Amino acid sequence: MNIDNNFCWDHCPLCHSTHINKIGDADYSGEVKFSTQEVNLGRHPELWNCGQCSSRFVQNIIPEATSVLLYTNSNADQRWQSIPFEQHKTPEVIRTMAEVLVNKGRILDIGCNTGELLDFARSQGCITSGLEYSSASREILLSKGHSAHKSFDELTDKFDVITAFDLVEHLYDVPDFLNHCYDRLVSGGKLVLLTGDIQSVSARSAGAGWWYAQYPEHIVFPSKYFFEKFSDFQLETWLPTFASAGYVLPGYRVILSRLKRLITMNKYNGMPSRLPDHVMIILTKVDM
Ligand SMILES: [Zn+2]
């Protein structure tokens, strides 16, 4: 499918500053897939930096309306295997999530795919709802006994916890998303995010070639400073981690792989990463 990826920001999509600059060309290689669908991009995506909040974002991206269609029609359940949350995520993420859910209550998982996090939350005693674009995934959610919604507009309840793992990097309007979550949380409620950390050691050393920035769906990479200074939430926890347990490799394998890359003159793309390159973020709604 040919796609004109002609969308560019004239300001930082996170803090809205116009003080932005190009870091370099992204390095998409081989077959490019958007979720489960193969796409041919007409333009070269670029990684940009915000001088005010230090977040980064991609220019020359697929316009939002096209993305929504691609997400809606793709079977996300085919791309990601349904590995139980406790096996898929790192020990620190599982432990922290269990602590967040200790008071049970109502949880909403946004971009929940087939509901592995919700399965875990239910095992901790929570009442579980999921929000998911993909209709195939929503059917699976319902079959497992979770509530399933397509958009924020369908929600009437308030939640004690909202989770969004591997989601914010896909969003065209993160501030608007944070506002929606704020409105849907009870006072003292928590929003838990998991995303790539653009300020991690490997992301910094890989620059525009960072592996995590080479997906057409990954368009924004918010900094810690953005959450501290430009959101209504209070930043409670910033926990460096990995995308999943499978990325945690013994140090010697990481070093061998980097040696091999040096010998073959391949540029470092940040993988494998010796140090965490993702972050689990806990934001608390504190009423003013
Ligand atoms: Zn910014």
Side-chain angles (χ1 to χ4, degrees):
M1 190 189 305
N2 290 318
I3 291 192
D4 191 12
N5 50 318
N6 63 354
F7 183 83
C8 287
W9 315 93
D10 56 10
H11 56 261
C12 168
L14 283 309
C15 76
H16 300 153
S17 167
T18 52
H19 185 35
I20 55 176
N21 62 286
K22 181 178 170 179
I23 298 293
D25 288 328
D27 189 18
Y28 292 24
S29 52
E31 170 187 273
V32 177
K33 279 195 162 186
F34 187 101
S35 194
T36 51
Q37 298 177 66
E38 205 175 315
V39 291
N40 291 313
L41 300 179
R43 297 160 199 249
H44 208 114
E46 302 170 356
L47 189 68
W48 282 54
N49 180 65
C50 172
Q52 178 165 266
C53 75
S54 301
S55 298
R56 290 187 172 179
F57 54 93
V58 183
Q59 299 281 36
N60 291 337
I61 56 174
I62 297 173
E64 183 171 14
T66 313
S67 290
V68 170
L69 282 177
L70 288 168
Y71 283 125
T72 308
N73 299 330
S74 73
N75 294 327
D77 53 308
Q78 287 172 11
R79 178 160 175 184
W80 291 280
Q81 293 171 322
S82 305
I83 307 166
F85 182 78
E86 305 91 302
Q87 289 170 27
H88 185 47
K89 291 300 174 191
T90 60
E92 60 271 19
V93 166
I94 296 159
R95 193 171 54 241
T96 308
M97 203 59 232
E99 286 165 17
V100 168
L101 300 176
V102 72
N103 294 324
K104 308 185 187 339
R106 307 184 74 94
I107 180 173
L108 172 70
D109 188 25
I110 303 175
C112 60
N113 196 19
T114 49
E116 285 67 36
L117 193 157
L118 293 175
D119 298 340
F120 175 74
R122 186 166 52 195
S123 77
Q124 307 289 304
C126 296
I127 301 163
T128 50
S129 301
L131 199 154
E132 178 57 60
Y133 270 148
S134 155
S135 54
S137 297
R138 286 202 304 279
E139 275 174 37
I140 294 172
L141 287 180
L142 290 172
S143 74
K144 293 207 274 185
H146 304 300
S147 301
H149 306 277
K150 192 182 176 184
S151 73
F152 273 111
D153 303 338
E154 291 180 5
L155 300 169
T156 48
D157 292 329
K158 290 220 172 191
F159 298 89
D160 302 286
V161 176
I162 297 179
T163 48
F165 279 27
D166 308 313
L167 180 90
V168 291
E169 66 275 11
H170 299 243
L171 298 177
Y172 289 75
D173 194 341
V174 173
D176 183 60
F177 169 78
L178 293 178
N179 288 340
H180 272 102
C181 292
Y182 196 92
D183 289 345
R184 285 286 128 225
L185 279 169
V186 300
S187 180
K190 293 183 194 312
L191 173 61
V192 186
L193 309 174
L194 185 85
T195 188
D197 182 2
I198 195 73
Q199 291 164 315
S200 61
V201 172
S202 48
R204 283 184 170 277
S205 58
W210 189 32
W211 69 275
Y212 194 68
Q214 314 312 324
Y215 295 90
E217 307 102 306
H218 290 187
I219 56 174
V220 290
F221 311 102
S223 66
K224 186 178 184 184
Y225 187 67
F226 164 74
F227 289 107
E228 285 171 338
K229 296 292 175 199
F230 297 94
S231 87
D232 291 335
F233 288 95
Q234 185 176 310
L235 177 61
E236 184 183 310
T237 301
W238 184 269
L239 176 72
T241 186
F242 291 90
S244 66
Y247 288 94
V248 187
L249 295 176
Y252 75 91
R253 278 190 56 192
V254 175
I255 290 161
L256 281 178
S257 154
R258 291 194 71 166
L259 270 176
K260 184 181 159 203
R261 207 180 279 273
L262 267 177
I263 293 162
T264 56
M265 304 280 280
N266 280 339
K267 235 179 121 208
Y268 182 54
N269 72 348
M271 191 138 77
S273 184
R274 190 170 58 83
L275 297 168
D277 64 357
H278 273 55
V279 62
M280 185 185 193
I281 303 161
I282 303 179
L283 302 164
T284 306
K285 175 175 177 174
V286 184
D287 280 330
M288 281 162 272

